[in-house]
Every structure is written in C-alpha cells, then in structure tokens.
Amino acid sequence: MSLRRAACLSLLIAIALVSTARAGTVGREQDIVDLKLGQRVLVDDGTCPAGQVKEVRGAKMTDKGIARTSSCVPRHGPKSK
C-alpha cells in the first residue's frame, strides 16, 4: 500500500514541476512578481545579443525566497518552411 502511495505522490510532484517549468515572456525583469522554483520566464529587454533573449529561472530556495539566475538563450521564432 505504501508503494502505491509513494508512486502517486511522485506523480503529483512531477506534474507540478512540469506545469511550473513552462516559460512565459515579459518585457522587463521587474514584471516578474511571483517566480516559482523551477519556473523559466523569457525577458525581452534588449540586454542580450541579437537572436537571443534573457531567460530568468527560479534556481533554489533561500531564507529570503527563491533565488533567481539569468542567462541569454537562443530566441525561438516562428518556424518557417
């Protein structure tokens, strides 16, 4: 019985992590008000080189909340044929 309970709990945790890991796009980093652990937000503020966009991630838990990290990642535009 405990194995079934553990499997259900791990499935719920995996679903929660996947749903919070989706990336949204904002214009300024200050517009991100409630960043969750593992969440990725794309920030189009012009600080990265051409063809790239800033990705802000909720990296780890600290005493003050979620610590953020950011890096420039390739911009994925609409696919062309």
Side-chain angles (χ1 to χ4, degrees):
M1 202 60 160
S2 65
L3 181 60
R4 181 182 288 173
R5 188 175 294 160
C8 288
L9 181 62
S10 62
L11 179 64
L12 287 174
I13 291 172
I15 290 170
L17 289 175
V18 167
S19 66
T20 60
R22 271 186 280 174
T25 305
V26 296
R28 299 181 312 160
E29 194 169 347
Q30 293 84 1
D31 294 340
I32 306 170
V33 290
D34 189 26
L35 188 66
K36 295 176 178 57
L37 190 61
Q39 183 179 8
R40 297 169 186 239
V41 179
L42 300 176
V43 180
D44 192 9
D45 60 359
T47 57
C48 291
Q52 295 185 344
V53 66
K54 186 191 301 182
E55 181 183 70
V56 179
R57 292 180 302 273
K60 64 179 182 176
M61 281 299 284
T62 65
D63 295 337
K64 297 178 183 177
I66 304 292
R68 298 178 177 198
T69 60
S70 63
S71 61
C72 293
V73 296
R75 179 185 305 267
H76 296 291
K79 294 190 178 199
S80 58
K81 291 185 178 182

